[in-house]
Amino acid sequence: MLSLGVLDQSPVGPDGSAEAALRRTIELARLADRLGYSRFWVSEHHNARSLAGVSPEVLISAVGAHTSRIRIGSGGVLLPHYSPYKVAENFRVLEGLYPGRVDLGIGRAPGGLHLVSQALRNGAPLSGDERLPELLKELAAYLEIGRPLGPDHPYRELEATPRVGTAPEVWLLGSSGFSAALAAQFGAGFSFAHFINGEGGQDAVRYYRKHYRPGPFGSRPQVSVCVYVLCADTDEQAEWEAMAMDLRLLANEKGEFRRPFPTPEEAAARPYTERERASIAKNRKRMIVGGPQRVREALEAFAESYGAEEVLVVCGMSDFRLRLRSYQWLAALFPNSSERHFR
């Protein structure tokens, strides 16, 4: 049976309040926990007024304090910006607080503009893709799920604390085949970001499964796919809400991250060029939109195309009440366990 998880980006609503966005993340996590979703991941974005989720480690801690069963994690920590030692210590703390529930999802995207990358690294050069395998080896060593650092490594005598009895589950996140190859090499789970790139994901997953080898991060392949889902009471209501997401994605393509989530009314009143309409049509490949019956059929076909046992959903509604309703509908359509109920 298809398992559903949640990726939440803490979107800033039309009210423009980042504080409210963070409170809504906690409210959504509590709902997802109660409805029986498999996991709840939070993202990392910087210099974007439209998204309040800039520090996944802090948010994970808050989410863990307000939930009891659901797995909690990052979707994901942008490892090239950070010391593997510090990432290991952060997630050892989280694992100590919430043992057996923590996912360490790792991304390699910049997370913002070039200036953001410079600021996060305090002016140091950004680690390129060629260094990512080295960073992953260090991370595995500090988490004590990989080989110790070699005798010539400058940090070989360091120990990542606190000493806790469990380690987080490690996933590599990506929107291309590069992360799939690394995940297969290191034995990590692989989560494809279909909500970022609506093309090529099935090939990346097939490559991952074919080339998977047990490694420091795991002993069996695990696949999830993340996609925008807008489920409403009717197809018409879902399509109305999707117009706001269309406009938001257009703004993102233009680098306009410093504005709140638009409303459907704003999107409906805006004139579009032919080029923009073509972009909207392309972006719809990243979304599943409709009433319950349409969404159920589309989501089943989507998961089957990937051969994925789990789908993480981002319900991109401008109205938070409708966003909650969307997750409730999905829980009713795809019950993971007897704990789920629809209110």
PDB file of all heavy atoms in Angstrom, residues 170-207:
ATOM      1  N   VAL A 170      19.518   8.095   6.963  1.00  0.00           N
ATOM      2  CA  VAL A 170      20.098   9.062   6.023  1.00  0.00           C
ATOM      3  C   VAL A 170      19.510   8.880   4.629  1.00  0.00           C
ATOM      4  O   VAL A 170      19.446   7.764   4.101  1.00  0.00           O
ATOM      5  CB  VAL A 170      21.633   8.927   5.977  1.00  0.00           C
ATOM      6  CG1 VAL A 170      22.221   9.927   4.982  1.00  0.00           C
ATOM      7  CG2 VAL A 170      22.229   9.160   7.372  1.00  0.00           C
ATOM      8  N   TRP A 171      19.093  10.008   4.045  1.00  0.00           N
ATOM      9  CA  TRP A 171      18.561  10.057   2.688  1.00  0.00           C
ATOM     10  C   TRP A 171      19.342  11.107   1.900  1.00  0.00           C
ATOM     11  O   TRP A 171      19.730  12.138   2.447  1.00  0.00           O
ATOM     12  CB  TRP A 171      17.093  10.472   2.686  1.00  0.00           C
ATOM     13  CG  TRP A 171      16.154   9.463   3.266  1.00  0.00           C
ATOM     14  CD1 TRP A 171      16.007   9.133   4.592  1.00  0.00           C
ATOM     15  CD2 TRP A 171      15.218   8.661   2.545  1.00  0.00           C
ATOM     16  NE1 TRP A 171      15.038   8.177   4.731  1.00  0.00           N
ATOM     17  CE2 TRP A 171      14.537   7.868   3.482  1.00  0.00           C
ATOM     18  CE3 TRP A 171      14.887   8.548   1.195  1.00  0.00           C
ATOM     19  CZ2 TRP A 171      13.540   6.969   3.125  1.00  0.00           C
ATOM     20  CZ3 TRP A 171      13.901   7.650   0.826  1.00  0.00           C
ATOM     21  CH2 TRP A 171      13.238   6.870   1.782  1.00  0.00           C
ATOM     22  N   LEU A 172      19.551  10.841   0.622  1.00  0.00           N
ATOM     23  CA  LEU A 172      20.051  11.869  -0.283  1.00  0.00           C
ATOM     24  C   LEU A 172      18.882  12.347  -1.139  1.00  0.00           C
ATOM     25  O   LEU A 172      18.107  11.535  -1.649  1.00  0.00           O
ATOM     26  CB  LEU A 172      21.167  11.339  -1.170  1.00  0.00           C
ATOM     27  CG  LEU A 172      22.479  10.972  -0.469  1.00  0.00           C
ATOM     28  CD1 LEU A 172      23.580  10.727  -1.497  1.00  0.00           C
ATOM     29  CD2 LEU A 172      22.918  12.037   0.510  1.00  0.00           C
ATOM     30  N   LEU A 173      18.788  13.652  -1.271  1.00  0.00           N
ATOM     31  CA  LEU A 173      17.695  14.264  -2.009  1.00  0.00           C
ATOM     32  C   LEU A 173      18.244  14.850  -3.303  1.00  0.00           C
ATOM     33  O   LEU A 173      19.357  15.373  -3.330  1.00  0.00           O
ATOM     34  CB  LEU A 173      17.040  15.376  -1.189  1.00  0.00           C
ATOM     35  CG  LEU A 173      16.863  15.113   0.313  1.00  0.00           C
ATOM     36  CD1 LEU A 173      16.248  16.316   0.989  1.00  0.00           C
ATOM     37  CD2 LEU A 173      16.038  13.874   0.534  1.00  0.00           C
ATOM     38  N   GLY A 174      17.472  14.780  -4.364  1.00  0.00           N
ATOM     39  CA  GLY A 174      17.963  15.331  -5.609  1.00  0.00           C
ATOM     40  C   GLY A 174      16.900  15.454  -6.659  1.00  0.00           C
ATOM     41  O   GLY A 174      15.818  14.869  -6.555  1.00  0.00           O
ATOM     42  N   SER A 175      17.229  16.238  -7.705  1.00  0.00           N
ATOM     43  CA  SER A 175      16.332  16.405  -8.842  1.00  0.00           C
ATOM     44  C   SER A 175      17.039  16.018 -10.135  1.00  0.00           C
ATOM     45  O   SER A 175      16.677  16.469 -11.213  1.00  0.00           O
ATOM     46  CB  SER A 175      15.854  17.863  -8.926  1.00  0.00           C
ATOM     47  OG  SER A 175      16.962  18.757  -8.991  1.00  0.00           O
ATOM     48  N   SER A 176      18.075  15.162  -9.989  1.00  0.00           N
ATOM     49  CA  SER A 176      18.807  14.683 -11.156  1.00  0.00           C
ATOM     50  C   SER A 176      19.441  13.339 -10.816  1.00  0.00           C
ATOM     51  O   SER A 176      19.313  12.839  -9.684  1.00  0.00           O
ATOM     52  CB  SER A 176      19.903  15.681 -11.560  1.00  0.00           C
ATOM     53  OG  SER A 176      20.932  15.695 -10.587  1.00  0.00           O
ATOM     54  N   GLY A 177      20.158  12.764 -11.771  1.00  0.00           N
ATOM     55  CA  GLY A 177      20.791  11.480 -11.545  1.00  0.00           C
ATOM     56  C   GLY A 177      22.020  11.536 -10.669  1.00  0.00           C
ATOM     57  O   GLY A 177      22.472  10.492 -10.162  1.00  0.00           O
ATOM     58  N   PHE A 178      22.591  12.727 -10.456  1.00  0.00           N
ATOM     59  CA  PHE A 178      23.821  12.829  -9.658  1.00  0.00           C
ATOM     60  C   PHE A 178      23.613  12.322  -8.239  1.00  0.00           C
ATOM     61  O   PHE A 178      24.375  11.500  -7.730  1.00  0.00           O
ATOM     62  CB  PHE A 178      24.310  14.280  -9.644  1.00  0.00           C
ATOM     63  CG  PHE A 178      25.594  14.476  -8.870  1.00  0.00           C
ATOM     64  CD1 PHE A 178      26.823  14.267  -9.481  1.00  0.00           C
ATOM     65  CD2 PHE A 178      25.567  14.856  -7.536  1.00  0.00           C
ATOM     66  CE1 PHE A 178      28.004  14.444  -8.771  1.00  0.00           C
ATOM     67  CE2 PHE A 178      26.745  15.033  -6.815  1.00  0.00           C
ATOM     68  CZ  PHE A 178      27.973  14.824  -7.444  1.00  0.00           C
ATOM     69  N   SER A 179      22.564  12.816  -7.575  1.00  0.00           N
ATOM     70  CA  SER A 179      22.299  12.389  -6.204  1.00  0.00           C
ATOM     71  C   SER A 179      21.870  10.927  -6.148  1.00  0.00           C
ATOM     72  O   SER A 179      22.151  10.230  -5.160  1.00  0.00           O
ATOM     73  CB  SER A 179      21.214  13.273  -5.578  1.00  0.00           C
ATOM     74  OG  SER A 179      21.684  14.605  -5.441  1.00  0.00           O
ATOM     75  N   ALA A 180      21.199  10.454  -7.197  1.00  0.00           N
ATOM     76  CA  ALA A 180      20.819   9.045  -7.248  1.00  0.00           C
ATOM     77  C   ALA A 180      22.049   8.152  -7.237  1.00  0.00           C
ATOM     78  O   ALA A 180      22.098   7.127  -6.545  1.00  0.00           O
ATOM     79  CB  ALA A 180      19.976   8.770  -8.495  1.00  0.00           C
ATOM     80  N   ALA A 181      23.072   8.541  -7.995  1.00  0.00           N
ATOM     81  CA  ALA A 181      24.303   7.752  -8.049  1.00  0.00           C
ATOM     82  C   ALA A 181      25.009   7.748  -6.708  1.00  0.00           C
ATOM     83  O   ALA A 181      25.505   6.703  -6.246  1.00  0.00           O
ATOM     84  CB  ALA A 181      25.224   8.305  -9.138  1.00  0.00           C
ATOM     85  N   LEU A 182      25.066   8.905  -6.038  1.00  0.00           N
ATOM     86  CA  LEU A 182      25.707   8.968  -4.726  1.00  0.00           C
ATOM     87  C   LEU A 182      24.940   8.153  -3.690  1.00  0.00           C
ATOM     88  O   LEU A 182      25.530   7.461  -2.853  1.00  0.00           O
ATOM     89  CB  LEU A 182      25.820  10.412  -4.257  1.00  0.00           C
ATOM     90  CG  LEU A 182      27.021  11.220  -4.748  1.00  0.00           C
ATOM     91  CD1 LEU A 182      26.984  12.615  -4.149  1.00  0.00           C
ATOM     92  CD2 LEU A 182      28.321  10.532  -4.386  1.00  0.00           C
ATOM     93  N   ALA A 183      23.613   8.246  -3.729  1.00  0.00           N
ATOM     94  CA  ALA A 183      22.798   7.474  -2.794  1.00  0.00           C
ATOM     95  C   ALA A 183      23.035   5.986  -2.974  1.00  0.00           C
ATOM     96  O   ALA A 183      23.150   5.231  -1.995  1.00  0.00           O
ATOM     97  CB  ALA A 183      21.320   7.804  -2.983  1.00  0.00           C
ATOM     98  N   ALA A 184      23.103   5.542  -4.218  1.00  0.00           N
ATOM     99  CA  ALA A 184      23.374   4.126  -4.486  1.00  0.00           C
ATOM    100  C   ALA A 184      24.753   3.724  -3.988  1.00  0.00           C
ATOM    101  O   ALA A 184      24.950   2.634  -3.445  1.00  0.00           O
ATOM    102  CB  ALA A 184      23.254   3.859  -5.984  1.00  0.00           C
ATOM    103  N   GLN A 185      25.731   4.594  -4.147  1.00  0.00           N
ATOM    104  CA  GLN A 185      27.105   4.307  -3.742  1.00  0.00           C
ATOM    105  C   GLN A 185      27.241   4.202  -2.231  1.00  0.00           C
ATOM    106  O   GLN A 185      27.994   3.357  -1.726  1.00  0.00           O
ATOM    107  CB  GLN A 185      28.025   5.411  -4.276  1.00  0.00           C
ATOM    108  CG  GLN A 185      29.477   5.291  -3.842  1.00  0.00           C
ATOM    109  CD  GLN A 185      30.300   6.488  -4.300  1.00  0.00           C
ATOM    110  OE1 GLN A 185      29.894   7.229  -5.211  1.00  0.00           O
ATOM    111  NE2 GLN A 185      31.437   6.696  -3.689  1.00  0.00           N
ATOM    112  N   PHE A 186      26.528   5.063  -1.492  1.00  0.00           N
ATOM    113  CA  PHE A 186      26.680   5.120  -0.042  1.00  0.00           C
ATOM    114  C   PHE A 186      25.617   4.323   0.713  1.00  0.00           C
ATOM    115  O   PHE A 186      25.602   4.307   1.929  1.00  0.00           O
ATOM    116  CB  PHE A 186      26.662   6.576   0.435  1.00  0.00           C
ATOM    117  CG  PHE A 186      27.964   7.293   0.227  1.00  0.00           C
ATOM    118  CD1 PHE A 186      28.259   7.903  -0.981  1.00  0.00           C
ATOM    119  CD2 PHE A 186      28.906   7.356   1.239  1.00  0.00           C
ATOM    120  CE1 PHE A 186      29.460   8.555  -1.182  1.00  0.00           C
ATOM    121  CE2 PHE A 186      30.117   8.008   1.064  1.00  0.00           C
ATOM    122  CZ  PHE A 186      30.401   8.610  -0.156  1.00  0.00           C
ATOM    123  N   GLY A 187      24.695   3.683   0.000  1.00  0.00           N
ATOM    124  CA  GLY A 187      23.678   2.891   0.666  1.00  0.00           C
ATOM    125  C   GLY A 187      22.578   3.716   1.308  1.00  0.00           C
ATOM    126  O   GLY A 187      21.860   3.226   2.188  1.00  0.00           O
ATOM    127  N   ALA A 188      22.430   4.966   0.887  1.00  0.00           N
ATOM    128  CA  ALA A 188      21.416   5.849   1.464  1.00  0.00           C
ATOM    129  C   ALA A 188      20.072   5.651   0.778  1.00  0.00           C
ATOM    130  O   ALA A 188      19.983   5.098  -0.324  1.00  0.00           O
ATOM    131  CB  ALA A 188      21.850   7.310   1.336  1.00  0.00           C
ATOM    132  N   GLY A 189      19.012   6.112   1.411  1.00  0.00           N
ATOM    133  CA  GLY A 189      17.739   6.227   0.727  1.00  0.00           C
ATOM    134  C   GLY A 189      17.825   7.350  -0.291  1.00  0.00           C
ATOM    135  O   GLY A 189      18.662   8.258  -0.180  1.00  0.00           O
ATOM    136  N   PHE A 190      16.961   7.312  -1.306  1.00  0.00           N
ATOM    137  CA  PHE A 190      16.963   8.343  -2.339  1.00  0.00           C
ATOM    138  C   PHE A 190      15.563   8.901  -2.495  1.00  0.00           C
ATOM    139  O   PHE A 190      14.591   8.169  -2.677  1.00  0.00           O
ATOM    140  CB  PHE A 190      17.441   7.772  -3.672  1.00  0.00           C
ATOM    141  CG  PHE A 190      17.399   8.773  -4.804  1.00  0.00           C
ATOM    142  CD1 PHE A 190      18.080   9.971  -4.722  1.00  0.00           C
ATOM    143  CD2 PHE A 190      16.654   8.512  -5.959  1.00  0.00           C
ATOM    144  CE1 PHE A 190      18.029  10.907  -5.754  1.00  0.00           C
ATOM    145  CE2 PHE A 190      16.602   9.427  -6.992  1.00  0.00           C
ATOM    146  CZ  PHE A 190      17.298  10.628  -6.895  1.00  0.00           C
ATOM    147  N   SER A 191      15.463  10.230  -2.407  1.00  0.00           N
ATOM    148  CA  SER A 191      14.184  10.913  -2.578  1.00  0.00           C
ATOM    149  C   SER A 191      14.305  11.875  -3.751  1.00  0.00           C
ATOM    150  O   SER A 191      15.122  12.802  -3.728  1.00  0.00           O
ATOM    151  CB  SER A 191      13.800  11.680  -1.308  1.00  0.00           C
ATOM    152  OG  SER A 191      12.515  12.257  -1.439  1.00  0.00           O
ATOM    153  N   PHE A 192      13.495  11.642  -4.799  1.00  0.00           N
ATOM    154  CA  PHE A 192      13.550  12.494  -5.986  1.00  0.00           C
ATOM    155  C   PHE A 192      12.579  13.662  -5.845  1.00  0.00           C
ATOM    156  O   PHE A 192      11.405  13.479  -5.512  1.00  0.00           O
ATOM    157  CB  PHE A 192      13.216  11.712  -7.255  1.00  0.00           C
ATOM    158  CG  PHE A 192      13.421  12.531  -8.512  1.00  0.00           C
ATOM    159  CD1 PHE A 192      14.677  12.666  -9.053  1.00  0.00           C
ATOM    160  CD2 PHE A 192      12.355  13.189  -9.109  1.00  0.00           C
ATOM    161  CE1 PHE A 192      14.882  13.442 -10.203  1.00  0.00           C
ATOM    162  CE2 PHE A 192      12.543  13.964 -10.245  1.00  0.00           C
ATOM    163  CZ  PHE A 192      13.813  14.090 -10.795  1.00  0.00           C
ATOM    164  N   ALA A 193      13.077  14.861  -6.131  1.00  0.00           N
ATOM    165  CA  ALA A 193      12.287  16.088  -5.995  1.00  0.00           C
ATOM    166  C   ALA A 193      11.524  16.375  -7.283  1.00  0.00           C
ATOM    167  O   ALA A 193      11.887  17.276  -8.047  1.00  0.00           O
ATOM    168  CB  ALA A 193      13.191  17.251  -5.620  1.00  0.00           C
ATOM    169  N   HIS A 194      10.460  15.620  -7.514  1.00  0.00           N
ATOM    170  CA  HIS A 194       9.634  15.843  -8.707  1.00  0.00           C
ATOM    171  C   HIS A 194       8.980  17.223  -8.656  1.00  0.00           C
ATOM    172  O   HIS A 194       8.685  17.806  -9.707  1.00  0.00           O
ATOM    173  CB  HIS A 194       8.568  14.749  -8.788  1.00  0.00           C
ATOM    174  CG  HIS A 194       7.789  14.746 -10.067  1.00  0.00           C
ATOM    175  ND1 HIS A 194       8.090  13.916 -11.130  1.00  0.00           N
ATOM    176  CD2 HIS A 194       6.705  15.476 -10.459  1.00  0.00           C
ATOM    177  CE1 HIS A 194       7.244  14.132 -12.114  1.00  0.00           C
ATOM    178  NE2 HIS A 194       6.386  15.074 -11.735  1.00  0.00           N
ATOM    179  N   PHE A 195       8.769  17.757  -7.473  1.00  0.00           N
ATOM    180  CA  PHE A 195       8.149  19.076  -7.358  1.00  0.00           C
ATOM    181  C   PHE A 195       9.103  20.184  -7.824  1.00  0.00           C
ATOM    182  O   PHE A 195       8.679  21.318  -8.047  1.00  0.00           O
ATOM    183  CB  PHE A 195       7.680  19.332  -5.924  1.00  0.00           C
ATOM    184  CG  PHE A 195       8.773  19.647  -4.941  1.00  0.00           C
ATOM    185  CD1 PHE A 195       8.936  20.925  -4.431  1.00  0.00           C
ATOM    186  CD2 PHE A 195       9.640  18.657  -4.500  1.00  0.00           C
ATOM    187  CE1 PHE A 195       9.931  21.212  -3.519  1.00  0.00           C
ATOM    188  CE2 PHE A 195      10.635  18.921  -3.585  1.00  0.00           C
ATOM    189  CZ  PHE A 195      10.787  20.214  -3.096  1.00  0.00           C
ATOM    190  N   ILE A 196      10.377  19.848  -7.983  1.00  0.00           N
ATOM    191  CA  ILE A 196      11.350  20.785  -8.531  1.00  0.00           C
ATOM    192  C   ILE A 196      11.590  20.521 -10.010  1.00  0.00           C
ATOM    193  O   ILE A 196      11.670  21.440 -10.815  1.00  0.00           O
ATOM    194  CB  ILE A 196      12.675  20.712  -7.752  1.00  0.00           C
ATOM    195  CG1 ILE A 196      12.466  21.212  -6.315  1.00  0.00           C
ATOM    196  CG2 ILE A 196      13.770  21.527  -8.440  1.00  0.00           C
ATOM    197  CD1 ILE A 196      13.687  21.078  -5.444  1.00  0.00           C
ATOM    198  N   ASN A 197      11.704  19.251 -10.367  1.00  0.00           N
ATOM    199  CA  ASN A 197      11.964  18.865 -11.749  1.00  0.00           C
ATOM    200  C   ASN A 197      10.984  17.775 -12.149  1.00  0.00           C
ATOM    201  O   ASN A 197      11.051  16.654 -11.651  1.00  0.00           O
ATOM    202  CB  ASN A 197      13.413  18.353 -11.898  1.00  0.00           C
ATOM    203  CG  ASN A 197      13.747  17.921 -13.307  1.00  0.00           C
ATOM    204  OD1 ASN A 197      12.992  18.189 -14.256  1.00  0.00           O
ATOM    205  ND2 ASN A 197      14.873  17.250 -13.467  1.00  0.00           N
ATOM    206  N   GLY A 198      10.072  18.112 -13.026  1.00  0.00           N
ATOM    207  CA  GLY A 198       9.030  17.172 -13.417  1.00  0.00           C
ATOM    208  C   GLY A 198       9.434  16.197 -14.505  1.00  0.00           C
ATOM    209  O   GLY A 198       8.587  15.452 -15.003  1.00  0.00           O
ATOM    210  N   GLU A 199      10.714  16.163 -14.859  1.00  0.00           N
ATOM    211  CA  GLU A 199      11.166  15.275 -15.931  1.00  0.00           C
ATOM    212  C   GLU A 199      12.418  14.513 -15.503  1.00  0.00           C
ATOM    213  O   GLU A 199      13.265  15.048 -14.785  1.00  0.00           O
ATOM    214  CB  GLU A 199      11.461  16.086 -17.201  1.00  0.00           C
ATOM    215  CG  GLU A 199      10.239  16.839 -17.742  1.00  0.00           C
ATOM    216  CD  GLU A 199      10.584  17.708 -18.936  1.00  0.00           C
ATOM    217  OE1 GLU A 199      11.790  17.965 -19.149  1.00  0.00           O
ATOM    218  OE2 GLU A 199       9.653  18.134 -19.646  1.00  0.00           O
ATOM    219  N   GLY A 200      12.529  13.258 -15.944  1.00  0.00           N
ATOM    220  CA  GLY A 200      13.742  12.486 -15.726  1.00  0.00           C
ATOM    221  C   GLY A 200      13.824  11.742 -14.410  1.00  0.00           C
ATOM    222  O   GLY A 200      14.789  11.009 -14.172  1.00  0.00           O
ATOM    223  N   GLY A 201      12.847  11.914 -13.550  1.00  0.00           N
ATOM    224  CA  GLY A 201      12.903  11.287 -12.237  1.00  0.00           C
ATOM    225  C   GLY A 201      12.843   9.777 -12.279  1.00  0.00           C
ATOM    226  O   GLY A 201      13.536   9.089 -11.514  1.00  0.00           O
ATOM    227  N   GLN A 202      12.010   9.235 -13.153  1.00  0.00           N
ATOM    228  CA  GLN A 202      11.885   7.778 -13.243  1.00  0.00           C
ATOM    229  C   GLN A 202      13.213   7.140 -13.646  1.00  0.00           C
ATOM    230  O   GLN A 202      13.588   6.089 -13.121  1.00  0.00           O
ATOM    231  CB  GLN A 202      10.786   7.391 -14.232  1.00  0.00           C
ATOM    232  CG  GLN A 202       9.375   7.732 -13.758  1.00  0.00           C
ATOM    233  CD  GLN A 202       8.935   9.147 -14.081  1.00  0.00           C
ATOM    234  OE1 GLN A 202       9.749   9.976 -14.482  1.00  0.00           O
ATOM    235  NE2 GLN A 202       7.649   9.429 -13.928  1.00  0.00           N
ATOM    236  N   ASP A 203      13.937   7.774 -14.559  1.00  0.00           N
ATOM    237  CA  ASP A 203      15.241   7.252 -14.966  1.00  0.00           C
ATOM    238  C   ASP A 203      16.233   7.294 -13.800  1.00  0.00           C
ATOM    239  O   ASP A 203      17.024   6.361 -13.612  1.00  0.00           O
ATOM    240  CB  ASP A 203      15.802   8.055 -16.144  1.00  0.00           C
ATOM    241  CG  ASP A 203      15.037   7.806 -17.434  1.00  0.00           C
ATOM    242  OD1 ASP A 203      14.367   6.754 -17.538  1.00  0.00           O
ATOM    243  OD2 ASP A 203      15.095   8.667 -18.328  1.00  0.00           O
ATOM    244  N   ALA A 204      16.203   8.371 -13.037  1.00  0.00           N
ATOM    245  CA  ALA A 204      17.111   8.485 -11.893  1.00  0.00           C
ATOM    246  C   ALA A 204      16.834   7.395 -10.865  1.00  0.00           C
ATOM    247  O   ALA A 204      17.760   6.795 -10.309  1.00  0.00           O
ATOM    248  CB  ALA A 204      16.970   9.866 -11.248  1.00  0.00           C
ATOM    249  N   VAL A 205      15.564   7.109 -10.624  1.00  0.00           N
ATOM    250  CA  VAL A 205      15.206   6.074  -9.656  1.00  0.00           C
ATOM    251  C   VAL A 205      15.603   4.696 -10.163  1.00  0.00           C
ATOM    252  O   VAL A 205      16.105   3.855  -9.403  1.00  0.00           O
ATOM    253  CB  VAL A 205      13.697   6.136  -9.337  1.00  0.00           C
ATOM    254  CG1 VAL A 205      13.232   4.882  -8.605  1.00  0.00           C
ATOM    255  CG2 VAL A 205      13.395   7.381  -8.502  1.00  0.00           C
ATOM    256  N   ARG A 206      15.390   4.447 -11.449  1.00  0.00           N
ATOM    257  CA  ARG A 206      15.803   3.160 -12.006  1.00  0.00           C
ATOM    258  C   ARG A 206      17.313   2.971 -11.871  1.00  0.00           C
ATOM    259  O   ARG A 206      17.798   1.871 -11.544  1.00  0.00           O
ATOM    260  CB  ARG A 206      15.376   3.053 -13.474  1.00  0.00           C
ATOM    261  CG  ARG A 206      13.914   2.661 -13.662  1.00  0.00           C
ATOM    262  CD  ARG A 206      13.615   2.292 -15.092  1.00  0.00           C
ATOM    263  NE  ARG A 206      13.631   3.452 -15.966  1.00  0.00           N
ATOM    264  CZ  ARG A 206      12.557   4.184 -16.241  1.00  0.00           C
ATOM    265  NH1 ARG A 206      11.390   3.887 -15.701  1.00  0.00           N
ATOM    266  NH2 ARG A 206      12.650   5.227 -17.068  1.00  0.00           N
ATOM    267  N   TYR A 207      18.085   4.011 -12.137  1.00  0.00           N
ATOM    268  CA  TYR A 207      19.540   3.932 -11.989  1.00  0.00           C
ATOM    269  C   TYR A 207      19.901   3.608 -10.541  1.00  0.00           C
ATOM    270  O   TYR A 207      20.765   2.767 -10.270  1.00  0.00           O
ATOM    271  CB  TYR A 207      20.184   5.254 -12.401  1.00  0.00           C
ATOM    272  CG  TYR A 207      21.695   5.236 -12.285  1.00  0.00           C
ATOM    273  CD1 TYR A 207      22.492   4.937 -13.379  1.00  0.00           C
ATOM    274  CD2 TYR A 207      22.320   5.502 -11.069  1.00  0.00           C
ATOM    275  CE1 TYR A 207      23.872   4.906 -13.277  1.00  0.00           C
ATOM    276  CE2 TYR A 207      23.697   5.464 -10.939  1.00  0.00           C
ATOM    277  CZ  TYR A 207      24.475   5.167 -12.049  1.00  0.00           C
ATOM    278  OH  TYR A 207      25.846   5.120 -11.920  1.00  0.00           O
TER     279      TYR A 207
END
